[in-house]
Amino acid sequence: MSEGNFLFTSESVTEGHPDKVCDQISDAVLDDVIRQDKNSRVACECFVTVGLVVVGGEITTTGYADIPRLVRSLVREIGYTDPKFGFQFEACGILNAIGTQSPDIAQGVDIGGAGDQGLMSGYACRETEELMPMPVMLAHKLTKRLAEVRKKKILGYLGPDGKSQVTIEYRSGKPARVDTVVISAQHSEDILDKTGTKITDHARQEIIEQVVKPIIPAAMLDAKTKYYINPTGKFVIGGPQSDTGMTGRKIIVDTYGGMASHGGGAFSGKDPTKVDRSASYMARYIAKNIVAAGLSDKCTIQLAYAIGVPEPVSVMVFTDRTNKVDENHLEQIIRKNFDLTPRGIIKTLDLLRPIYRQTATYGHFGWNHPDYSWEKIDKIKDLQKDA
């Protein structure tokens, strides 16, 4: 996508979206047990539907996770405190279906091997200051803003569930303008018009003014930009009342909004011996440092592993013809400067910490947060020297 004119779209969802409720529960369980026992092995999955939360998977730990307490606390924090939104932290049923990890898997992981086979991708580009694709970063910032105006009572009629979508027009391969913004926000009945089938024009304009315009740079908006605010008309019934949720169903939202490839593995609920998560973080770390070092304007890193084997079976670099250094040489530089074994990744990025619940909303990449070690750009001088 380095050349030409085209439209590209990415989406995001709020923390109250059913799938994201599940991701947060899975990562809250992970944080709780890794806080007690950093060597915990966790593969925690969640399913939510009307009035019910099911937590399952495999956990091996010396700690103890009080699943009902964790779930109710998190659902309350997300904002499902009022029965009018169809799901409520005190009233929902909770089923605990957690077992222990298979010893057949453990024997390969305990000696430092990967927890499973698979391929993982990382990406960086110069479209934003975060070195992320612009469509997905704007989409994330919109859903984050939706949550902010709800919690601060700026728009008190909003509910926890919601989505955003941003379409960017690219010219000569670079973002030129925002073509379309879509906001679907759960709300109370207070803002319905007299027909009861759609929100009022005032509410629609209020969401544009309070959510969209503070986030989208004014220079990217023009008279032709299209705004679709709750395009079905109304969005009163939302959250688990209207849609089931499952851990790991928003993997493109979690990563690069479709701009880059994805290995397929989800992140939430998995401890860092699972390379689905840790190697994806390392791939982002590598790609971001390569771009920040000026060695390319875009960079995709693919790492692949075999279960129980420490070293990756392959390392691939793709720069979409924006590289200043030969891609084969970049691969050699990567192998020299980054320890790509699971243990090396965990040590480099300091991943045995209870930092994961916060990653389960608004994407795992692009945020300048002290806990997000994979966002550091501390390898620039080493990479430039070897290049």
Side-chain angles (χ1 to χ4, degrees), residues 146-366:
L146 270 177
E148 181 182 18
V149 298
R150 169 175 62 88
K151 292 177 178 180
K152 291 182 176 179
K153 306 296 184 183
I154 297 171
L155 299 179
Y157 48 77
L158 293 182
D161 199 356
K163 289 184 173 184
S164 71
Q165 187 170 283
V166 177
T167 301
I168 300 285
E169 180 182 338
Y170 284 74
R171 296 173 187 164
S172 300
K174 295 182 179 180
R177 56 180 292 274
V178 172
D179 183 80
T180 307
V181 178
V182 182
I183 298 287
S184 293
Q186 185 185 17
H187 59 86
S188 63
E189 295 186 349
D190 306 351
I191 58 168
L192 292 176
D193 66 6
K194 293 180 180 180
T195 69
T197 60
K198 62 180 182 178
I199 63 173
T200 63
D201 291 339
H202 174 76
R204 177 183 178 277
Q205 191 60 39
E206 201 170 33
I207 291 172
I208 292 173
E209 295 296 330
Q210 294 292 338
V211 177
V212 178
K213 290 188 176 179
I215 297 300
I216 307 292
M220 295 293 289
L221 300 172
D222 57 33
K224 294 183 178 180
T225 300
K226 298 179 284 293
Y227 302 94
Y228 294 106
I229 310 299
N230 283 20
T232 63
K234 67 177 183 177
F235 186 4
V236 173
I237 301 173
Q241 184 185 21
S242 66
D243 190 13
T244 58
M246 295 184 70
T247 301
R249 286 208 301 198
K250 288 291 178 284
I251 58 176
I252 299 302
V253 171
D254 284 343
T255 53
Y256 306 102
M259 185 68 79
S261 58
H262 192 293
F267 302 156
S268 290
K270 297 178 181 177
D271 74 82
T273 67
K274 278 73 170 174
V275 284
D276 275 344
R277 180 171 221 154
S278 56
S280 294
Y281 289 176
M282 178 58 93
R284 163 65 177 171
Y285 178 52
I286 297 169
K288 186 174 183 182
N289 275 271
I290 287 174
V291 172
L295 305 186
S296 69
D297 294 333
K298 297 181 181 181
C299 184
T300 299
I301 302 294
Q302 186 198 73
L303 305 174
Y305 292 82
I307 188 169
V309 179
E311 293 289 342
V313 297
S314 69
V315 178
M316 187 276 292
V317 184
F318 176 66
T319 60
D320 202 8
R321 294 177 293 178
T322 66
N323 53 308
K324 314 300 189 293
V325 179
D326 180 77
E327 289 178 350
N328 290 329
H329 186 42
L330 282 174
E331 180 189 332
Q332 295 171 8
I333 293 171
I334 290 167
R335 288 184 180 273
K336 177 183 176 182
N337 285 278
F338 300 92
D339 186 341
L340 301 178
T341 65
R343 282 181 176 172
I345 293 171
I346 289 169
K347 181 179 179 181
T348 299
L349 300 180
D350 192 17
L351 295 178
L352 294 177
R353 297 174 291 148
I355 59 172
Y356 296 105
R357 183 261 161 117
Q358 62 196 346
T359 69
T361 51
Y362 313 116
H364 292 244
F365 308 118

Side-chain angles (χ1 to χ4, degrees), residues 26 111 118 141 153 159 174 189 217 332 367 374:
S26 294
I111 61 171
K141 289 176 181 180
K153 306 296 184 183
K174 295 182 179 180
E189 295 186 349
Q332 295 171 8
W367 301 108
W374 49 92

Side-chain angles (χ1 to χ4, degrees), residues 22-43:
C22 291
D23 284 343
Q24 290 171 88
I25 290 172
S26 294
D27 273 338
V29 172
L30 170 61
D31 278 353
D32 195 51
V33 297
I34 210 170
R35 185 179 291 110
Q36 301 170 62
D37 173 12
K38 69 177 183 178
N39 295 313
S40 297
R41 297 285 162 73
V42 182

Side-chain angles (χ1 to χ4, degrees), residues 35-79:
R35 185 179 291 110
Q36 301 170 62
D37 173 12
K38 69 177 183 178
N39 295 313
S40 297
R41 297 285 162 73
V42 182
C44 181
E45 309 287 342
C46 183
F47 168 82
V48 299
T49 186
V50 181
L52 178 65
V53 179
V54 180
V55 183
E58 300 80 44
I59 298 179
T60 302
T61 182
T62 60
Y64 169 74
D66 185 342
I67 300 297
R69 177 188 62 80
L70 281 172
V71 170
R72 295 194 195 281
S73 175
L74 190 141
V75 171
R76 177 176 58 189
E77 186 178 335
I78 290 170

